[in-house]
Amino acid sequence: MTNEEAVKFHLGQIFKKFPNDSAVAASLYYSRESFRSLCEDYSLALITLSSMEKSSAKSARISEYQSIISDLEAEIRIYLARCSDGG
């Protein structure tokens, strides 16, 4: 995957989950390393969960990744809200 493809993929995952905040998310992705890293972690967690659900992964591991994804979504939501309010 090229860097451009990775950027599109990571942002695409964020746009799907937070469609009303896509402009803010894109701006943050390109301007703040911490947000970019958060988006990358989120995308990788989604990929891992999807792979685990297709395999014979133990339900405890699947639950762990569902929790990780939920935590990342909450962190992203907070980041977007702060930046949408001018913070």
Side-chain angles (χ1 to χ4, degrees):
M1 182 180 298
T2 68
N3 188 48
E4 186 177 325
E5 291 170 332
V7 168
K8 286 181 182 178
F9 178 76
H10 296 311
L11 281 175
Q13 297 303 313
I14 300 302
F15 293 169
K16 281 183 206 173
K17 184 65 185 179
F18 305 98
N20 295 330
D21 296 310
S22 59
V24 172
S27 177
L28 288 170
Y29 187 90
Y30 288 108
S31 65
R32 299 209 182 152
E33 177 62 33
S34 57
F35 187 76
R36 185 169 36 255
S37 179
L38 189 58
C39 293
E40 291 166 359
D41 291 348
Y42 179 68
S43 295
L44 293 175
L46 289 172
I47 290 169
T48 302
L49 177 62
S50 177
S51 177
M52 291 169 91
E53 289 173 337
K54 292 175 186 172
S55 73
S56 58
K58 294 183 179 180
S59 111
R61 290 286 293 162
I62 290 173
S63 293
E64 179 183 352
Y65 267 85
Q66 289 170 331
S67 178
I68 289 168
I69 289 166
S70 180
D71 290 346
L72 289 168
E73 287 172 350
E75 198 170 338
I76 291 167
R77 190 174 292 110
I78 290 167
Y79 214 125
L80 292 170
R82 283 184 187 155
C83 292
S84 292
D85 293 338

mmCIF file of all heavy atoms in Angstrom, residues 27-70:
data_model
loop_
_atom_site.group_PDB
_atom_site.id
_atom_site.type_symbol
_atom_site.label_atom_id
_atom_site.label_comp_id
_atom_site.label_asym_id
_atom_site.label_seq_id
_atom_site.Cartn_x
_atom_site.Cartn_y
_atom_site.Cartn_z
ATOM 1 N N SER A 27 -8.548 17.874 8.167
ATOM 2 C CA SER A 27 -7.640 18.946 8.564
ATOM 3 C C SER A 27 -6.711 18.489 9.685
ATOM 4 O O SER A 27 -5.495 18.716 9.647
ATOM 5 C CB SER A 27 -8.451 20.165 9.001
ATOM 6 O OG SER A 27 -7.596 21.178 9.463
ATOM 7 N N LEU A 28 -7.272 17.832 10.675
ATOM 8 C CA LEU A 28 -6.471 17.343 11.795
ATOM 9 C C LEU A 28 -5.478 16.271 11.354
ATOM 10 O O LEU A 28 -4.346 16.223 11.834
ATOM 11 C CB LEU A 28 -7.384 16.773 12.882
ATOM 12 C CG LEU A 28 -8.172 17.775 13.683
ATOM 13 C CD1 LEU A 28 -9.205 17.067 14.553
ATOM 14 C CD2 LEU A 28 -7.237 18.619 14.535
ATOM 15 N N TYR A 29 -5.922 15.416 10.469
ATOM 16 C CA TYR A 29 -5.065 14.325 9.996
ATOM 17 C C TYR A 29 -3.781 14.881 9.381
ATOM 18 O O TYR A 29 -2.688 14.360 9.618
ATOM 19 C CB TYR A 29 -5.818 13.457 8.983
ATOM 20 C CG TYR A 29 -5.051 12.226 8.590
ATOM 21 C CD1 TYR A 29 -5.210 11.047 9.310
ATOM 22 C CD2 TYR A 29 -4.178 12.230 7.513
ATOM 23 C CE1 TYR A 29 -4.500 9.905 8.963
ATOM 24 C CE2 TYR A 29 -3.467 11.100 7.168
ATOM 25 C CZ TYR A 29 -3.635 9.933 7.892
ATOM 26 O OH TYR A 29 -2.929 8.805 7.544
ATOM 27 N N TYR A 30 -3.928 15.924 8.598
ATOM 28 C CA TYR A 30 -2.759 16.496 7.918
ATOM 29 C C TYR A 30 -1.959 17.454 8.795
ATOM 30 O O TYR A 30 -0.785 17.697 8.519
ATOM 31 C CB TYR A 30 -3.193 17.203 6.635
ATOM 32 C CG TYR A 30 -3.613 16.240 5.565
ATOM 33 C CD1 TYR A 30 -4.949 16.106 5.207
ATOM 34 C CD2 TYR A 30 -2.690 15.439 4.919
ATOM 35 C CE1 TYR A 30 -5.351 15.212 4.232
ATOM 36 C CE2 TYR A 30 -3.075 14.529 3.943
ATOM 37 C CZ TYR A 30 -4.407 14.418 3.609
ATOM 38 O OH TYR A 30 -4.801 13.520 2.651
ATOM 39 N N SER A 31 -2.562 17.969 9.865
ATOM 40 C CA SER A 31 -1.864 18.985 10.649
ATOM 41 C C SER A 31 -1.358 18.509 12.017
ATOM 42 O O SER A 31 -0.498 19.168 12.594
ATOM 43 C CB SER A 31 -2.764 20.205 10.851
ATOM 44 O OG SER A 31 -3.893 19.873 11.631
ATOM 45 N N ARG A 32 -1.898 17.401 12.509
ATOM 46 C CA ARG A 32 -1.508 16.964 13.860
ATOM 47 C C ARG A 32 -1.105 15.489 13.854
ATOM 48 O O ARG A 32 -1.917 14.611 13.606
ATOM 49 C CB ARG A 32 -2.653 17.167 14.836
ATOM 50 C CG ARG A 32 -3.041 18.636 14.915
ATOM 51 C CD ARG A 32 -3.591 19.003 16.224
ATOM 52 N NE ARG A 32 -3.991 20.415 16.211
ATOM 53 C CZ ARG A 32 -4.932 20.886 16.959
ATOM 54 N NH1 ARG A 32 -5.597 20.106 17.772
ATOM 55 N NH2 ARG A 32 -5.220 22.176 16.912
ATOM 56 N N GLU A 33 0.159 15.273 14.168
ATOM 57 C CA GLU A 33 0.700 13.911 14.203
ATOM 58 C C GLU A 33 -0.060 13.020 15.182
ATOM 59 O O GLU A 33 -0.307 11.856 14.908
ATOM 60 C CB GLU A 33 2.186 13.946 14.560
ATOM 61 C CG GLU A 33 2.831 12.594 14.706
ATOM 62 C CD GLU A 33 2.827 11.756 13.444
ATOM 63 O OE1 GLU A 33 2.926 12.331 12.340
ATOM 64 O OE2 GLU A 33 2.706 10.519 13.556
ATOM 65 N N SER A 34 -0.450 13.584 16.320
ATOM 66 C CA SER A 34 -1.154 12.779 17.327
ATOM 67 C C SER A 34 -2.503 12.273 16.803
ATOM 68 O O SER A 34 -2.882 11.128 17.062
ATOM 69 C CB SER A 34 -1.346 13.566 18.620
ATOM 70 O OG SER A 34 -2.052 14.767 18.375
ATOM 71 N N PHE A 35 -3.203 13.100 16.052
ATOM 72 C CA PHE A 35 -4.478 12.667 15.483
ATOM 73 C C PHE A 35 -4.259 11.646 14.368
ATOM 74 O O PHE A 35 -4.980 10.660 14.285
ATOM 75 C CB PHE A 35 -5.283 13.862 14.956
ATOM 76 C CG PHE A 35 -6.669 13.490 14.514
ATOM 77 C CD1 PHE A 35 -7.659 13.248 15.452
ATOM 78 C CD2 PHE A 35 -6.982 13.366 13.174
ATOM 79 C CE1 PHE A 35 -8.952 12.876 15.055
ATOM 80 C CE2 PHE A 35 -8.263 13.013 12.767
ATOM 81 C CZ PHE A 35 -9.249 12.766 13.708
ATOM 82 N N ARG A 36 -3.250 11.888 13.554
ATOM 83 C CA ARG A 36 -2.918 10.948 12.473
ATOM 84 C C ARG A 36 -2.605 9.571 13.060
ATOM 85 O O ARG A 36 -3.086 8.549 12.578
ATOM 86 C CB ARG A 36 -1.747 11.485 11.661
ATOM 87 C CG ARG A 36 -1.402 10.668 10.454
ATOM 88 C CD ARG A 36 -0.406 11.324 9.494
ATOM 89 N NE ARG A 36 0.635 12.122 10.123
ATOM 90 C CZ ARG A 36 0.665 13.450 10.137
ATOM 91 N NH1 ARG A 36 -0.307 14.166 9.588
ATOM 92 N NH2 ARG A 36 1.661 14.087 10.706
ATOM 93 N N SER A 37 -1.825 9.543 14.124
ATOM 94 C CA SER A 37 -1.477 8.284 14.778
ATOM 95 C C SER A 37 -2.718 7.593 15.339
ATOM 96 O O SER A 37 -2.871 6.367 15.227
ATOM 97 C CB SER A 37 -0.468 8.559 15.889
ATOM 98 O OG SER A 37 -0.132 7.379 16.559
ATOM 99 N N LEU A 38 -3.607 8.360 15.913
ATOM 100 C CA LEU A 38 -4.866 7.833 16.438
ATOM 101 C C LEU A 38 -5.700 7.198 15.315
ATOM 102 O O LEU A 38 -6.248 6.098 15.480
ATOM 103 C CB LEU A 38 -5.636 8.966 17.110
ATOM 104 C CG LEU A 38 -6.877 8.652 17.906
ATOM 105 C CD1 LEU A 38 -6.590 7.668 19.027
ATOM 106 C CD2 LEU A 38 -7.444 9.940 18.478
ATOM 107 N N CYS A 39 -5.760 7.865 14.170
ATOM 108 C CA CYS A 39 -6.498 7.337 13.016
ATOM 109 C C CYS A 39 -5.874 6.039 12.512
ATOM 110 O O CYS A 39 -6.580 5.094 12.155
ATOM 111 C CB CYS A 39 -6.525 8.360 11.886
ATOM 112 S SG CYS A 39 -7.484 9.831 12.251
ATOM 113 N N GLU A 40 -4.565 5.998 12.470
ATOM 114 C CA GLU A 40 -3.865 4.791 12.018
ATOM 115 C C GLU A 40 -4.119 3.636 12.986
ATOM 116 O O GLU A 40 -4.395 2.513 12.550
ATOM 117 C CB GLU A 40 -2.376 5.077 11.874
ATOM 118 C CG GLU A 40 -2.074 6.022 10.723
ATOM 119 C CD GLU A 40 -0.663 6.591 10.742
ATOM 120 O OE1 GLU A 40 0.128 6.278 11.668
ATOM 121 O OE2 GLU A 40 -0.341 7.367 9.812
ATOM 122 N N ASP A 41 -4.047 3.911 14.282
ATOM 123 C CA ASP A 41 -4.333 2.876 15.280
ATOM 124 C C ASP A 41 -5.759 2.359 15.125
ATOM 125 O O ASP A 41 -6.011 1.147 15.210
ATOM 126 C CB ASP A 41 -4.143 3.417 16.693
ATOM 127 C CG ASP A 41 -2.692 3.703 17.039
ATOM 128 O OD1 ASP A 41 -1.787 3.276 16.294
ATOM 129 O OD2 ASP A 41 -2.470 4.374 18.073
ATOM 130 N N TYR A 42 -6.688 3.262 14.901
ATOM 131 C CA TYR A 42 -8.096 2.894 14.723
ATOM 132 C C TYR A 42 -8.271 1.978 13.506
ATOM 133 O O TYR A 42 -8.898 0.927 13.596
ATOM 134 C CB TYR A 42 -8.937 4.169 14.589
ATOM 135 C CG TYR A 42 -10.413 3.933 14.383
ATOM 136 C CD1 TYR A 42 -11.202 3.385 15.383
ATOM 137 C CD2 TYR A 42 -11.036 4.277 13.184
ATOM 138 C CE1 TYR A 42 -12.561 3.179 15.205
ATOM 139 C CE2 TYR A 42 -12.386 4.082 12.995
ATOM 140 C CZ TYR A 42 -13.145 3.525 14.003
ATOM 141 O OH TYR A 42 -14.492 3.316 13.824
ATOM 142 N N SER A 43 -7.688 2.368 12.398
ATOM 143 C CA SER A 43 -7.797 1.565 11.176
ATOM 144 C C SER A 43 -7.199 0.182 11.361
ATOM 145 O O SER A 43 -7.784 -0.823 10.941
ATOM 146 C CB SER A 43 -7.104 2.264 10.006
ATOM 147 O OG SER A 43 -7.753 3.455 9.683
ATOM 148 N N LEU A 44 -6.024 0.128 11.978
ATOM 149 C CA LEU A 44 -5.366 -1.163 12.194
ATOM 150 C C LEU A 44 -6.175 -2.048 13.141
ATOM 151 O O LEU A 44 -6.263 -3.263 12.937
ATOM 152 C CB LEU A 44 -3.949 -0.952 12.720
ATOM 153 C CG LEU A 44 -2.994 -0.297 11.738
ATOM 154 C CD1 LEU A 44 -1.646 -0.011 12.406
ATOM 155 C CD2 LEU A 44 -2.795 -1.161 10.499
ATOM 156 N N ALA A 45 -6.789 -1.448 14.144
ATOM 157 C CA ALA A 45 -7.640 -2.221 15.056
ATOM 158 C C ALA A 45 -8.859 -2.779 14.322
ATOM 159 O O ALA A 45 -9.258 -3.926 14.547
ATOM 160 C CB ALA A 45 -8.065 -1.368 16.247
ATOM 161 N N LEU A 46 -9.439 -1.987 13.425
ATOM 162 C CA LEU A 46 -10.582 -2.464 12.634
ATOM 163 C C LEU A 46 -10.185 -3.629 11.734
ATOM 164 O O LEU A 46 -10.921 -4.616 11.619
ATOM 165 C CB LEU A 46 -11.156 -1.329 11.777
ATOM 166 C CG LEU A 46 -11.915 -0.230 12.512
ATOM 167 C CD1 LEU A 46 -12.257 0.908 11.551
ATOM 168 C CD2 LEU A 46 -13.180 -0.782 13.154
ATOM 169 N N ILE A 47 -9.018 -3.516 11.103
ATOM 170 C CA ILE A 47 -8.527 -4.589 10.237
ATOM 171 C C ILE A 47 -8.306 -5.859 11.053
ATOM 172 O O ILE A 47 -8.705 -6.955 10.643
ATOM 173 C CB ILE A 47 -7.213 -4.165 9.536
ATOM 174 C CG1 ILE A 47 -7.496 -3.086 8.507
ATOM 175 C CG2 ILE A 47 -6.532 -5.366 8.886
ATOM 176 C CD1 ILE A 47 -6.241 -2.428 7.956
ATOM 177 N N THR A 48 -7.684 -5.706 12.203
ATOM 178 C CA THR A 48 -7.404 -6.858 13.059
ATOM 179 C C THR A 48 -8.695 -7.519 13.520
ATOM 180 O O THR A 48 -8.823 -8.747 13.473
ATOM 181 C CB THR A 48 -6.549 -6.443 14.269
ATOM 182 O OG1 THR A 48 -5.335 -5.859 13.788
ATOM 183 C CG2 THR A 48 -6.226 -7.621 15.158
ATOM 184 N N LEU A 49 -9.659 -6.724 13.946
ATOM 185 C CA LEU A 49 -10.937 -7.272 14.388
ATOM 186 C C LEU A 49 -11.625 -8.023 13.255
ATOM 187 O O LEU A 49 -12.113 -9.134 13.448
ATOM 188 C CB LEU A 49 -11.853 -6.167 14.917
ATOM 189 C CG LEU A 49 -13.251 -6.624 15.345
ATOM 190 C CD1 LEU A 49 -13.181 -7.627 16.491
ATOM 191 C CD2 LEU A 49 -14.103 -5.432 15.728
ATOM 192 N N SER A 50 -11.639 -7.432 12.087
ATOM 193 C CA SER A 50 -12.274 -8.086 10.943
ATOM 194 C C SER A 50 -11.618 -9.425 10.638
ATOM 195 O O SER A 50 -12.297 -10.430 10.397
ATOM 196 C CB SER A 50 -12.202 -7.167 9.718
ATOM 197 O OG SER A 50 -12.743 -7.794 8.595
ATOM 198 N N SER A 51 -10.314 -9.445 10.682
ATOM 199 C CA SER A 51 -9.567 -10.680 10.431
ATOM 200 C C SER A 51 -9.867 -11.724 11.504
ATOM 201 O O SER A 51 -10.053 -12.906 11.200
ATOM 202 C CB SER A 51 -8.075 -10.366 10.398
ATOM 203 O OG SER A 51 -7.325 -11.528 10.236
ATOM 204 N N MET A 52 -9.929 -11.293 12.737
ATOM 205 C CA MET A 52 -10.210 -12.215 13.843
ATOM 206 C C MET A 52 -11.613 -12.797 13.734
ATOM 207 O O MET A 52 -11.825 -13.977 14.028
ATOM 208 C CB MET A 52 -10.041 -11.487 15.175
ATOM 209 C CG MET A 52 -8.611 -11.126 15.480
ATOM 210 S SD MET A 52 -8.501 -10.012 16.885
ATOM 211 C CE MET A 52 -8.325 -11.189 18.196
ATOM 212 N N GLU A 53 -12.565 -11.969 13.339
ATOM 213 C CA GLU A 53 -13.946 -12.440 13.209
ATOM 214 C C GLU A 53 -14.086 -13.462 12.087
ATOM 215 O O GLU A 53 -14.943 -14.330 12.150
ATOM 216 C CB GLU A 53 -14.883 -11.256 12.987
ATOM 217 C CG GLU A 53 -15.039 -10.396 14.222
ATOM 218 C CD GLU A 53 -15.836 -9.123 13.997
ATOM 219 O OE1 GLU A 53 -15.919 -8.650 12.847
ATOM 220 O OE2 GLU A 53 -16.363 -8.597 14.982
ATOM 221 N N LYS A 54 -13.236 -13.370 11.085
ATOM 222 C CA LYS A 54 -13.274 -14.319 9.968
ATOM 223 C C LYS A 54 -12.534 -15.613 10.292
ATOM 224 O O LYS A 54 -12.751 -16.619 9.635
ATOM 225 C CB LYS A 54 -12.674 -13.680 8.719
ATOM 226 C CG LYS A 54 -13.511 -12.550 8.171
ATOM 227 C CD LYS A 54 -12.833 -11.873 7.013
ATOM 228 C CE LYS A 54 -13.621 -10.649 6.560
ATOM 229 N NZ LYS A 54 -12.916 -9.860 5.565
ATOM 230 N N SER A 55 -11.664 -15.557 11.267
ATOM 231 C CA SER A 55 -10.892 -16.733 11.649
ATOM 232 C C SER A 55 -11.542 -17.402 12.853
ATOM 233 O O SER A 55 -12.647 -17.058 13.248
ATOM 234 C CB SER A 55 -9.452 -16.329 11.977
ATOM 235 O OG SER A 55 -9.410 -15.650 13.212
ATOM 236 N N SER A 56 -10.802 -18.292 13.422
ATOM 237 C CA SER A 56 -11.333 -18.986 14.601
ATOM 238 C C SER A 56 -10.770 -18.375 15.888
ATOM 239 O O SER A 56 -10.500 -19.073 16.854
ATOM 240 C CB SER A 56 -10.989 -20.472 14.523
ATOM 241 O OG SER A 56 -9.577 -20.620 14.441
ATOM 242 N N ALA A 57 -10.634 -17.074 15.894
ATOM 243 C CA ALA A 57 -10.095 -16.379 17.061
ATOM 244 C C ALA A 57 -11.017 -16.571 18.265
ATOM 245 O O ALA A 57 -12.236 -16.678 18.120
ATOM 246 C CB ALA A 57 -9.922 -14.900 16.758
ATOM 247 N N LYS A 58 -10.412 -16.590 19.402
ATOM 248 C CA LYS A 58 -11.181 -16.749 20.638
ATOM 249 C C LYS A 58 -12.017 -15.502 20.893
ATOM 250 O O LYS A 58 -11.626 -14.397 20.594
ATOM 251 C CB LYS A 58 -10.242 -16.996 21.807
ATOM 252 C CG LYS A 58 -9.514 -18.307 21.691
ATOM 253 C CD LYS A 58 -8.647 -18.561 22.893
ATOM 254 C CE LYS A 58 -7.960 -19.909 22.731
ATOM 255 N NZ LYS A 58 -7.111 -20.239 23.856
ATOM 256 N N SER A 59 -13.168 -15.735 21.471
ATOM 257 C CA SER A 59 -14.095 -14.635 21.708
ATOM 258 C C SER A 59 -13.524 -13.594 22.663
ATOM 259 O O SER A 59 -13.848 -12.423 22.572
ATOM 260 C CB SER A 59 -15.421 -15.195 22.164
ATOM 261 O OG SER A 59 -15.730 -14.947 23.459
ATOM 262 N N ALA A 60 -12.646 -13.999 23.566
ATOM 263 C CA ALA A 60 -12.032 -13.032 24.487
ATOM 264 C C ALA A 60 -11.152 -12.047 23.720
ATOM 265 O O ALA A 60 -11.140 -10.852 24.025
ATOM 266 C CB ALA A 60 -11.207 -13.755 25.544
ATOM 267 N N ARG A 61 -10.430 -12.520 22.721
ATOM 268 C CA ARG A 61 -9.584 -11.640 21.910
ATOM 269 C C ARG A 61 -10.450 -10.710 21.069
ATOM 270 O O ARG A 61 -10.133 -9.539 20.910
ATOM 271 C CB ARG A 61 -8.661 -12.462 20.987
ATOM 272 C CG ARG A 61 -7.585 -13.213 21.689
ATOM 273 C CD ARG A 61 -6.459 -12.350 22.192
ATOM 274 N NE ARG A 61 -5.711 -11.790 21.087
ATOM 275 C CZ ARG A 61 -4.911 -10.758 21.185
ATOM 276 N NH1 ARG A 61 -4.741 -10.166 22.335
ATOM 277 N NH2 ARG A 61 -4.272 -10.294 20.152
ATOM 278 N N ILE A 62 -11.532 -11.235 20.538
ATOM 279 C CA ILE A 62 -12.445 -10.403 19.756
ATOM 280 C C ILE A 62 -13.040 -9.315 20.651
ATOM 281 O O ILE A 62 -13.083 -8.148 20.263
ATOM 282 C CB ILE A 62 -13.544 -11.270 19.102
ATOM 283 C CG1 ILE A 62 -12.911 -12.119 17.984
ATOM 284 C CG2 ILE A 62 -14.680 -10.408 18.560
ATOM 285 C CD1 ILE A 62 -13.836 -13.146 17.364
ATOM 286 N N SER A 63 -13.457 -9.685 21.833
ATOM 287 C CA SER A 63 -14.007 -8.704 22.776
ATOM 288 C C SER A 63 -12.971 -7.648 23.138
ATOM 289 O O SER A 63 -13.301 -6.465 23.281
ATOM 290 C CB SER A 63 -14.484 -9.397 24.058
ATOM 291 O OG SER A 63 -15.582 -10.218 23.780
ATOM 292 N N GLU A 64 -11.724 -8.076 23.274
ATOM 293 C CA GLU A 64 -10.647 -7.132 23.588
ATOM 294 C C GLU A 64 -10.503 -6.090 22.476
ATOM 295 O O GLU A 64 -10.397 -4.894 22.747
ATOM 296 C CB GLU A 64 -9.332 -7.892 23.759
ATOM 297 C CG GLU A 64 -8.144 -7.021 24.053
ATOM 298 C CD GLU A 64 -6.845 -7.813 24.140
ATOM 299 O OE1 GLU A 64 -6.873 -9.061 24.127
ATOM 300 O OE2 GLU A 64 -5.790 -7.166 24.215
ATOM 301 N N TYR A 65 -10.539 -6.539 21.233
ATOM 302 C CA TYR A 65 -10.412 -5.598 20.120
ATOM 303 C C TYR A 65 -11.649 -4.725 19.964
ATOM 304 O O TYR A 65 -11.549 -3.558 19.598
ATOM 305 C CB TYR A 65 -10.042 -6.314 18.813
ATOM 306 C CG TYR A 65 -8.548 -6.329 18.642
ATOM 307 C CD1 TYR A 65 -7.775 -7.309 19.236
ATOM 308 C CD2 TYR A 65 -7.897 -5.314 17.949
ATOM 309 C CE1 TYR A 65 -6.395 -7.306 19.131
ATOM 310 C CE2 TYR A 65 -6.521 -5.294 17.828
ATOM 311 C CZ TYR A 65 -5.779 -6.288 18.426
ATOM 312 O OH TYR A 65 -4.413 -6.253 18.324
ATOM 313 N N GLN A 66 -12.807 -5.249 20.256
ATOM 314 C CA GLN A 66 -14.015 -4.420 20.232
ATOM 315 C C GLN A 66 -13.908 -3.304 21.267
ATOM 316 O O GLN A 66 -14.298 -2.166 21.002
ATOM 317 C CB GLN A 66 -15.252 -5.283 20.489
ATOM 318 C CG GLN A 66 -15.585 -6.188 19.330
ATOM 319 C CD GLN A 66 -16.648 -7.219 19.659
ATOM 320 O OE1 GLN A 66 -16.788 -7.644 20.807
ATOM 321 N NE2 GLN A 66 -17.380 -7.646 18.645
ATOM 322 N N SER A 67 -13.342 -3.624 22.410
ATOM 323 C CA SER A 67 -13.144 -2.627 23.461
ATOM 324 C C SER A 67 -12.100 -1.589 23.048
ATOM 325 O O SER A 67 -12.286 -0.387 23.273
ATOM 326 C CB SER A 67 -12.715 -3.326 24.754
ATOM 327 O OG SER A 67 -12.468 -2.387 25.761
ATOM 328 N N ILE A 68 -11.025 -2.042 22.426
ATOM 329 C CA ILE A 68 -9.986 -1.132 21.945
ATOM 330 C C ILE A 68 -10.584 -0.161 20.932
ATOM 331 O O ILE A 68 -10.345 1.052 20.994
ATOM 332 C CB ILE A 68 -8.803 -1.920 21.323
ATOM 333 C CG1 ILE A 68 -8.023 -2.638 22.421
ATOM 334 C CG2 ILE A 68 -7.896 -1.006 20.501
ATOM 335 C CD1 ILE A 68 -7.031 -3.663 21.910
ATOM 336 N N ILE A 69 -11.368 -0.684 20.010
ATOM 337 C CA ILE A 69 -11.992 0.152 18.983
ATOM 338 C C ILE A 69 -12.945 1.159 19.617
ATOM 339 O O ILE A 69 -12.948 2.337 19.258
ATOM 340 C CB ILE A 69 -12.698 -0.724 17.927
ATOM 341 C CG1 ILE A 69 -11.633 -1.436 17.074
ATOM 342 C CG2 ILE A 69 -13.643 0.095 17.053
ATOM 343 C CD1 ILE A 69 -12.172 -2.563 16.221
ATOM 344 N N SER A 70 -13.709 0.717 20.569
ATOM 345 C CA SER A 70 -14.631 1.620 21.267
ATOM 346 C C SER A 70 -13.857 2.739 21.969
ATOM 347 O O SER A 70 -14.252 3.911 21.908
ATOM 348 C CB SER A 70 -15.460 0.824 22.274
ATOM 349 O OG SER A 70 -16.347 1.651 22.945
#
